[in-house]
């Protein structure tokens, strides 16, 4: 190989990556810092160290209520998006070619910004059912989560051995048996990754939840947004830090079980 | 049951949900935008363009999105290249650095920027200490704040679209260019950049559409006086309750995005088939 990269460029690249890392992670670090600062105003660098704001957050009915709503919602969205998205991916993988019209249609919620269908869904729901409800949020979040499940599952199915199912068929396995013993095990890593993404998307989603919110329907991100609009305080930083930690936990599980780089560059 | 029918059985539940939960809402929005007290009307669109207020919001949305896209491309290309050409361990850390913020709620990330950019925040006080700016210097509630925050929010999309393309490039192409006498930077410009163009285009379109349609970060960092189109839609839906006008603005946003996306999707299909 030729002398690959000049030395000064290697140093420049290192500095560049370092600056990019600071730029990308600083907002998260700052929120974590504020959450343990003794100052009752939002301040960074933190002064002293305290868990008082966490006690505050965990004792607040508004935050607790929002947390349970978000958790319920995220779990149900994970189930519905994995079932529907997984089935769709299996169906799509059997089609003759990839990138067809049906696949484009299934992935379209990924391309179209959610604000456009959020406003439409609010208007449609109000016209048909009246006030928005939990089911409206469930439907909305499932629609945006399905494409992620489809993408991760399709990526896994593209690498599978197609003759395995063929072999099962020749050996006389019924449709249900082929699905249960051959196709589903082949889908497993993709379905799992998709399920994690679906949970994460629903738990963190703000746009649809803001449009569909009502006083009895406030998810955790919406609760945080409301507080930020009004006045940021260390308690909201504590809640935000807990949300960051949940994301970190999800990422660690994903990396341990499946490897992140595999789905990152799909 | 034939195989064809079985395939459709797998597709049908998802298709039905998307039609009810995605296509119907968009159709409803389109209908409401042209609905008036007596029949169809384009009054809402006329109202949008009748004075300079709303067109100026539209213009701000477009140029801020273009600026954000350009900055994301300028940072994203070298970052994605470094990621693609580094070893597996380094790459994993770089992927984490990009994905962790991406997977964190946009509300939380914007909060971080609110703290950093505030009047007494780290950035403003550092600049003041070095005497680079005056006492009245303010970053919050400026367009600079929106651009800074949005670039951080959207950079992962650019990096991941570029990484997917660059990682598949054969490194021997670069070696060949180097042996033929190209410098490193010439190789980048003449070999890697043209080959990475599809990823750059996909990433740019994604970043531009997401940026044009976001309102959480612009509303919190730009404040009430610097409005963007998506923020104006949100305000009309939740505060002034003028749904027909909100629908018309959403249609304008939708049309702009469709103008960008449709040529791109057709190009992509031609390249596939």
């Amino acid at each position: 190989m030729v002398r690959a990269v000049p030395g000064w460029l290697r140093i420049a690249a290192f500095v560049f990556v370092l600056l990019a890392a600071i730029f990308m992670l600083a907002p998260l670090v700052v929120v974590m810092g504020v959450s343990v600062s003794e100052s009752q105003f939002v301040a960074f660098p933190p002064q002293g160290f305290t868990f008082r704001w966490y006690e505050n957050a965990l004792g607040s009915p508004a935050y607790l209520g929002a947390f349970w709503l978000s958790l319920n919602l995220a779990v149900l969205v994970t189930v519905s998006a994995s079932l529907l998205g997984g089935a769709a991916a299996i169906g799509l993988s059997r089609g003759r070619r990839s990138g067809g019209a049906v696949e484009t249609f299934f992935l379209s919620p990924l391309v179209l910004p959610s604000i456009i269908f959020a406003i439409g869904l609010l208007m449609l729901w109000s016209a048909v059912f009246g006030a928005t409800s939990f089911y409206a949020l469930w439907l909305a979040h499932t629609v945006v989560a399905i494409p992620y499940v489809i993408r991760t599952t399709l990526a896994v199915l593209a690498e599978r051995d197609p003759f395995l199912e063929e072999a099962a068929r020749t050996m006389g396995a019924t449709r249900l048996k082929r699905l249960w013993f051959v196709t589903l095990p082949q889908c497993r890593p993709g379905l799992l990754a998709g399920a994690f993404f679906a949970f994460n998307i629903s738990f963190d989603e703000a746009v649809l939840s803001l449009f569909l919110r009502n006083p009895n329907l406030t998810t955790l991100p919406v609760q945080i947004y409301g507080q930020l609009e009004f006045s940021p305080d260390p308690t909201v930083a504590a809640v935000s830090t807990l949300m960051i930690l949940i994301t970190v936990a999800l990422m660690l599980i994903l990396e341990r079980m499946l490897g992140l780089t595999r789905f990152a560059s799909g | 049951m034939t195989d064809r029918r079985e395939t459709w059985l797998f597709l049908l539940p998802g298709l039905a949900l998307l039609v009810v939960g995605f296509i119907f809402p968009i159709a409803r929005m389109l209908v409401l935008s042209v609905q008036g007290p007596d029949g169809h009307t384009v009054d809402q669109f006329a109202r949008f363009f009748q004075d300079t207020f709303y067109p100026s919001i539209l213009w701000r949305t477009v140029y801020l999105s273009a600026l954000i896209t350009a900055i994301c491309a300028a940072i994203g290309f070298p970052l994605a290249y470094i990621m693609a050409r580094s070893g597996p361990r380094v790459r994993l850390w770089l992927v984490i650095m990009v994905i962790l913020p991406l997977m964190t709620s946009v509300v939380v990330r914007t909060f971080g920027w609110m703290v950093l950019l505030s009047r007494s925040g780290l950035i403003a006080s550092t600049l003041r200490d070095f005497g680079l700016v005056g006492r009245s210097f303010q970053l919050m509630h400026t367009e600079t704040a929106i651009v800074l925050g949005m670039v951080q929010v959207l950079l992962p999309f650019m990096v991941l679209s570029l990484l997917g393309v660059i990682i598949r490039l054969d490194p021997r192409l670069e070696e060949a260019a180097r042996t033929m006498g190209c410098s490193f930077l010439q190789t980048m410009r003449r070999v890697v950049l043209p080959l990475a163009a599809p990823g750059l285009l996909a990433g740019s379109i994604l970043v531009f559409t997401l940026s044009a349609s976001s309102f959480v970060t612009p509303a919190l960092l730009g404040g009430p006086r610097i409005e963007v189109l998506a923020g104006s839609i949100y305000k009309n839906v939740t505060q002034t309750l003028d749904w027909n006008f909100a629908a018309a603005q959403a249609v304008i946003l939708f049309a702009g995005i469709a103008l960008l996306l449709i040529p791109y999707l057709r190009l992509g299909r031609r390249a596939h088939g």
Side-chain angles (χ1 to χ4, degrees), chain A residues 2-4 9 24 27 30 84 87-88 91 94 112-113 117 120-123 169 175 200 204 210 213 228 237 264, chain B residues 1 3 6-7 10-11 13 15 21 25 32 75 92 103 105 111-113 115 152 160 178 184 213 234 237 243 254:
Chain A
V2 266
R3 269 222 4 242
L9 244 162
M24 289 308 287
V30 162
L84 296 170
R94 290 184 181 179
L112 197 78
F117 109 91
L121 189 60
L122 173 65
M123 290 163 175
R169 188 203 291 255
R175 283 172 196 280
N200 183 255
D204 285 349
L210 274 170
R213 79 163 150 184
L228 294 182
Chain B
M1 188 163 63
D3 280 356
E6 196 193 49
T7 301
F10 278 115
L11 293 174
L15 281 177
L32 272 190
I75 303 176
L92 177 64
M103 285 176 69
S105 184
F111 180 23
W113 283 109
V115 179
Q152 195 258 355
L160 292 179
R178 296 298 301 280
F184 178 78
S213 58
Y234 180 65
V237 167
W243 284 13
F254 186 46

Side-chain angles (χ1 to χ4, degrees), chain A residues 1-6 8-9 13 16-17 20-21 23-28 30-31 34 42-45 84 87-88 90-92 94-96 99 102 104-106 108-113 115-117 119-124 126-127 139 142-143 146 169 175 178-179 197 200 204-207 210-211 213 221 224-225 228-229 232-233 236-237 240 243-244 247-248 250-251 254-255 260-261 264-266, chain B residues 1-4 6-8 10-11 13-15 17-26 28-29 32 74-75 78-79 82 91-92 94-101 103-116 120 122 148 151-152 155-157 160 163-164 167-168 175 178-179 184-185 206 209-210 213 215-216 219-220 230 233-234 237-239 243-244 246-247 250 253-254 257 261 265 269:
Chain A
M1 209 175 126
V2 266
R3 269 222 4 242
V5 185
W8 65 268
L9 244 162
F16 172 75
V17 167
F23 176 69
M24 289 308 287
L25 300 176
L28 305 186
V30 162
V31 168
V34 171
V42 168
F44 191 89
L84 296 170
I90 294 173
L92 285 170
R94 290 184 181 179
R96 259 161 291 165
V102 185
T104 309
F105 178 66
F106 267 115
S108 53
L110 216 54
V111 198
L112 197 78
I115 186 174
I116 287 172
F117 109 91
I119 176 177
L121 189 60
L122 173 65
M123 290 163 175
L124 185 64
S126 311
L139 174 67
T142 304
V143 167
I146 279 181
R169 188 203 291 255
R175 283 172 196 280
R178 290 203 310 262
L179 178 68
F197 283 127
N200 183 255
D204 285 349
E205 208 283 332
V207 175
L210 274 170
F211 272 87
R213 79 163 150 184
I224 296 176
Y225 181 84
L228 294 182
E229 249 187 337
D233 60 23
V236 72
S240 303
M243 288 197 72
I244 297 174
T247 306
V248 172
L250 278 176
M251 264 186 57
L254 206 58
E255 163 61 21
L260 269 181
T261 21
S265 52
Chain B
M1 188 163 63
T2 62
D3 280 356
R4 239 185 117 75
E6 196 193 49
T7 301
W8 280 107
F10 278 115
L11 293 174
L15 281 177
L17 185 92
L18 279 195
V19 169
V20 173
F22 188 66
I23 300 300
F24 283 3
I26 293 171
R28 176 78 191 170
M29 172 202 76
L32 272 190
I75 303 176
L79 196 57
I82 293 170
R91 189 188 300 156
L92 177 64
L94 293 177
V95 166
I96 289 176
M97 164 190 127
V98 169
I99 293 193
L100 179 62
M103 285 176 69
T104 310
S105 184
V106 73
V107 179
V108 172
R109 279 185 280 168
T110 307
F111 180 23
W113 283 109
M114 287 171 75
V115 179
L116 279 169
S120 55
L122 207 56
L148 265 174
V151 168
Q152 195 258 355
L155 184 62
F157 293 99
L160 292 179
L163 182 64
I167 212 161
R168 288 190 184 89
E175 284 165 30
R178 296 298 301 280
T179 2
F184 178 78
L185 291 179
L206 196 58
T209 48
L210 288 174
S213 58
F215 67 94
V216 170
L220 290 177
I233 294 173
Y234 180 65
V237 167
T238 56
Q239 285 168 26
W243 284 13
N244 293 90
L253 180 63
F254 186 46
I257 287 166
L261 278 177
L265 286 177
R269 196 160 301 154

Side-chain angles (χ1 to χ4, degrees), chain A residues 264 266, chain B residues 80 156-166 196 198-200 202-204 206:
Chain B
F157 293 99
M158 179 66 85
V159 172
L160 292 179
S161 343
L162 276 165
L163 182 64
V165 175
I166 298 180
L200 196 63
S204 300
L206 196 58

Side-chain angles (χ1 to χ4, degrees), chain A residues 5-219:
Chain A
V5 185
W8 65 268
L9 244 162
R10 280 185 182 278
I11 297 169
F14 181 76
V15 173
F16 172 75
V17 167
L18 202 68
L19 288 176
I22 293 173
F23 176 69
M24 289 308 287
L25 300 176
L28 305 186
V29 174
V30 162
V31 168
M32 292 171 150
V34 171
S35 78
V36 292
S37 169
E38 274 173 20
S39 158
Q40 53 180 312
F41 303 104
V42 168
F44 191 89
Q47 296 143 2
F49 185 89
T50 174
F51 277 128
R52 192 165 43 152
W53 312 116
Y54 288 87
E55 280 168 35
N56 237 358
L58 296 177
S60 144
Y63 282 122
L64 277 183
F67 171 77
W68 285 116
L69 175 69
S70 283
L71 189 67
N72 273 327
L73 184 63
V75 169
L76 284 173
V77 168
T78 307
V79 172
S80 56
S82 303
L83 279 175
L84 296 170
I90 294 173
L92 285 170
S93 74
R94 290 184 181 179
R96 259 161 291 165
R97 61 201 170 86
S98 64
V102 185
E103 191 179 327
T104 309
F105 178 66
F106 267 115
L107 297 183
S108 53
L110 216 54
V111 198
L112 197 78
S114 44
I115 186 174
I116 287 172
F117 109 91
I119 176 177
L121 189 60
L122 173 65
M123 290 163 175
L124 185 64
W125 195 276
S126 311
V128 180
F129 300 107
T132 54
S133 69
F134 183 81
Y135 298 103
L137 272 182
W138 188 10
L139 174 67
H141 283 193
T142 304
V143 167
V144 286
I146 279 181
Y148 288 87
V149 180
I150 292 183
R151 276 224 322 214
T152 52
T153 312
L154 269 183
V156 169
L157 282 176
E159 293 164 12
R160 79 182 155 153
D161 181 356
F163 297 112
L164 224 52
E165 209 191 339
E166 214 43 58
R169 188 203 291 255
T170 2
M171 311 281 242
T174 61
R175 283 172 196 280
L176 267 179
K177 275 195 170 154
R178 290 203 310 262
L179 178 68
W180 187 255
F181 290 109
V182 182
T183 312
L184 278 180
Q186 284 175 330
C187 291
R188 219 179 71 106
L191 264 179
L192 267 174
F196 278 113
F197 283 127
F199 182 91
N200 183 255
I201 284 159
S202 170
F203 198 73
D204 285 349
E205 208 283 332
V207 175
L208 290 158
S209 308
L210 274 170
F211 272 87
L212 298 173
R213 79 163 150 184
N214 66 43
N216 304 315
L217 202 65
T218 307
T219 65

